[in-house]
Amino acid sequence: MLEGWLDHHRAITAAKCAGLTDDQLRQRPVAPSGLSLMGLVRHLAECERGWFRETLDGEDVPGIYFTDEDPDGDFHVGEDDTWAEAYATWQAEIATARERAAARGLDDEGTGRRDRKTGRPFTLRWIYTHMIEEYARHNGHADLIRESLDGSTGD
């Protein structure tokens, strides 16, 4: 059920971006926010990578779009950034996340970073729940951005 809800929210994100040009996907139409649909997808790729590779499996991987110098680089979309690249990267991270999760039970503990407050490892169940929350929140942002771009509403 958790995996199903996460996939549902992944599909909503993709639907919010469907049919738009690269220029539209780069636009930040909801002032004063700097969010764009492409930036949200790049951020979600980073989230998939961080929670499933780093936290669940303990893999040491660099950021895809962010750096120490630009910790919000996933949201900083430039004119040369393309939807094809952002989408392919996001889908690759989702595929890796599914592969990593399939090898675990919901109560299996991750081998990577731990909860800063408690020092305990995160379970796959916790990671799924957090990712559902992450996507749901950002899908709300995507709703507003998409409606601002072309009036499209709904999921």
Side-chain angles (χ1 to χ4, degrees):
M1 182 179 292
L2 292 172
E3 187 174 4
W5 275 107
L6 181 53
D7 281 342
H8 171 74
H9 281 289
R10 288 167 172 156
I12 289 173
T13 302
K16 290 295 170 188
C17 298
L20 297 175
T21 66
D22 280 14
D23 285 339
Q24 288 173 309
L25 290 162
R26 286 188 210 99
Q27 285 183 30
R28 298 170 177 93
V30 185
S33 173
L35 292 178
S36 68
L37 289 171
M38 192 181 302
L40 287 174
V41 165
R42 288 165 38 130
H43 173 69
L44 292 167
E46 294 279 15
C47 290
E48 297 274 358
R49 184 180 188 91
W51 285 104
F52 289 97
R53 289 184 183 220
E54 292 182 72
T55 304
L56 185 63
D57 273 355
E59 186 178 348
D60 184 19
V61 292
I64 305 165
Y65 303 107
F66 73 87
T67 62
D68 289 340
E69 297 77 32
D70 188 6
D72 291 325
D74 39 353
F75 293 116
H76 298 156
V77 178
E79 296 233 356
D80 294 335
D81 294 313
T82 68
W83 173 245
E85 183 281 325
Y87 183 80
T89 299
W90 178 47
Q91 292 304 303
E93 291 301 329
I94 289 171
T96 299
R98 286 184 177 131
E99 179 183 307
R100 305 276 173 108
R104 306 277 187 129
L106 288 175
D107 294 318
D108 286 355
E109 296 177 340
T111 59
R113 67 180 168 206
R114 294 171 171 259
D115 187 305
R116 284 182 280 215
K117 294 177 187 170
T118 67
R120 291 190 310 238
F122 294 98
T123 64
L124 178 58
R125 182 186 314 274
W126 192 98
I127 292 169
Y128 272 143
T129 303
H130 173 72
M131 289 296 291
I132 291 165
E133 178 273 333
E134 185 82 18
Y135 270 91
R137 182 166 37 96
H138 289 311
N139 281 336
H141 299 138
D143 282 340
L144 292 172
I145 295 168
R146 180 64 190 247
E147 187 173 3
S148 296
L149 291 171
D150 68 357
S152 177
T153 60
D155 50 281

